[in-house]
Amino acid sequence: MIDLSTQYLGLKLKGPIVVASTPLSESLDNLRRMEDSGAAAVVLTSLFEEQLELESRALDEDLSRGTESFAESLGYLPDLTDYRMTHEVYLEHLRRAKAAVNIPILASLNGATTGGWVRYAREIEEAGADAIELNTFALATDRSQTSAELEVQLLDLVSNVCRAVKVPVAVKLSQSFTSVPHLVARLEDAGARGVVFFNRFYQPDFDIETLEVRPTLHFSTPSELLPRLHWAAILYGHTKADIAITGGVHSAEDVLKSVMAGANVAMMVSALHIHGIEHIGRVLGDLRYWLEKREYTSLSET
């Protein structure tokens, strides 16, 4: 029997596939299907601080556009009119998720202020989260703001959250930082137990008919995996922080590449929207076949 087990953020996982933050996780039935299909852990959809809750609802609506091309996706995305993920609802969903499945449940926190992050992080920990993923976004819009100042703000947030909770904290980064290795080293010093490469952000687009700006996000493709593999390989062996790769993970080949580059886990979302939640089981089956064919006994041997 092939051993696919791994460790991430101090958690012992039965396999390398983690479901990244997605509206799919808002359904307890979906969470059970993820576990049954072989997901080793699930990152819940993000809890947005303050005004970002309104933005998240609009972005989820945008994400659902075009799913008519993928019949299996229709039942997985939440109805926008029913999406009311306030922090009270989020915490209750977290408690129910923990009771519904036996795999680790990670909470995702997207905040704007230190006070908000720390307050919500404590509540998330009390609700039973096995770990917290900080969904960060550093965007310089003021010409007087330097890149160093952005990094200091991020490090201050991470340090405050890590001091406030006992559960492990991972930081989901964007690709826009100049020196990723240096930043990861400083995040580790600030208390982060892991880093996630990389955040896929909603980008503004112009609707020339309505003369409005609307956010857009397309499903990922395997081609997006390459820069993530690049940075994971550079950092492997040079950081104590665990590494997760998200964005472009669609197949067993993508999972293998992620592990070979040094990642502890590979996170999957777009492939589940396209092919359905049970795609996790198919990927794991292909992964076992690849390992058996080469007479490996465990994933760690790769």
Side-chain angles (χ1 to χ4, degrees), residues 140-167:
T141 57
D142 185 341
R143 62 184 295 177
S144 66
Q145 189 174 37
T146 68
S147 57
E149 289 172 340
L150 284 176
E151 289 192 15
V152 169
Q153 289 178 7
L154 172 60
L155 291 166
D156 182 57
L157 287 171
V158 173
S159 178
N160 277 282
V161 171
C162 289
R163 286 200 303 266
V165 299
K166 295 180 180 178
V167 294

Side-chain angles (χ1 to χ4, degrees), residues 206-212:
F206 295 95
D207 189 322
I208 61 174
E209 298 300 328
T210 63
L211 303 182
E212 294 178 341

Side-chain angles (χ1 to χ4, degrees), residues 2-7 12-16 264 298-300:
I2 300 294
D3 180 11
L4 298 180
S5 65
T6 185
Q7 290 197 25
K12 294 182 179 180
L13 305 182
K14 63 181 181 180
N264 298 74
S298 69
L299 183 63
S300 62

Side-chain angles (χ1 to χ4, degrees), residues 56-294:
S56 70
R57 289 199 288 271
L59 299 186
D60 285 340
E61 179 184 35
D62 187 73
L63 179 61
S64 68
R65 294 192 187 106
T67 55
E68 63 275 4
S69 301
F70 311 104
E72 288 190 64
S73 299
L74 293 175
Y76 300 155
L77 293 173
D79 189 312
L80 178 64
T81 58
D82 294 334
Y83 186 74
R84 296 292 184 273
M85 195 59 77
T86 63
H87 81 278
E88 293 91 351
V89 174
Y90 188 92
L91 294 174
E92 181 58 27
H93 179 62
L94 172 56
R95 297 184 190 98
R96 292 181 177 180
K98 285 292 298 175
V101 296
N102 294 316
I103 56 177
I105 296 294
L106 285 66
S108 177
L109 179 59
N110 188 318
T113 65
T114 299
W117 283 52
V118 170
R119 181 172 68 255
Y120 289 141
R122 286 172 175 160
E123 293 180 351
I124 285 170
E125 180 180 43
E126 292 172 359
D130 293 287
I132 297 174
E133 181 179 281
L134 298 182
N135 191 356
T136 66
F137 183 32
L139 179 64
T141 57
D142 185 341
R143 62 184 295 177
S144 66
Q145 189 174 37
T146 68
S147 57
E149 289 172 340
L150 284 176
E151 289 192 15
V152 169
Q153 289 178 7
L154 172 60
L155 291 166
D156 182 57
L157 287 171
V158 173
S159 178
N160 277 282
V161 171
C162 289
R163 286 200 303 266
V165 299
K166 295 180 180 178
V167 294
V169 174
V171 182
K172 193 172 186 178
L173 293 171
S174 70
Q175 299 184 57
S176 58
F177 291 100
T178 304
S179 178
V180 174
H182 177 72
L183 177 60
V184 170
R186 296 191 68 186
L187 288 170
E188 185 180 333
D189 292 339
R193 294 281 300 275
V195 289
V196 184
F197 298 141
F198 285 108
N199 221 327
R200 297 182 71 245
F201 297 116
Y202 296 91
Q203 300 294 341
D205 194 6
F206 295 95
D207 189 322
I208 61 174
E209 298 300 328
T210 63
L211 303 182
E212 294 178 341
V213 177
R214 61 182 180 86
T216 59
L217 178 65
H218 301 288
F219 292 128
S220 72
T221 65
S223 64
E224 296 180 42
L225 191 62
L226 298 181
R228 293 153 171 82
L229 299 177
H230 172 84
W231 286 113
I234 288 175
L235 282 166
Y236 180 70
H238 298 283
T239 179
K240 295 180 181 179
D242 289 341
I243 298 172
I245 286 179
T246 184
V249 178
H250 287 249
S251 66
E253 180 179 353
D254 299 331
V255 175
L256 281 165
K257 288 179 180 180
S258 299
V259 173
M260 289 177 178
N264 298 74
V265 296
M267 294 185 170
M268 188 176 289
V269 172
S270 291
L272 306 187
H273 285 276
I274 296 170
H275 303 294
I277 291 173
E278 283 69 23
H279 182 64
I280 298 171
R282 294 190 288 269
V283 171
L284 289 173
D286 292 343
L287 181 58
R288 291 189 182 93
Y289 175 78
W290 189 93
L291 293 169
E292 289 171 354
K293 187 176 180 180
R294 290 157 180 79

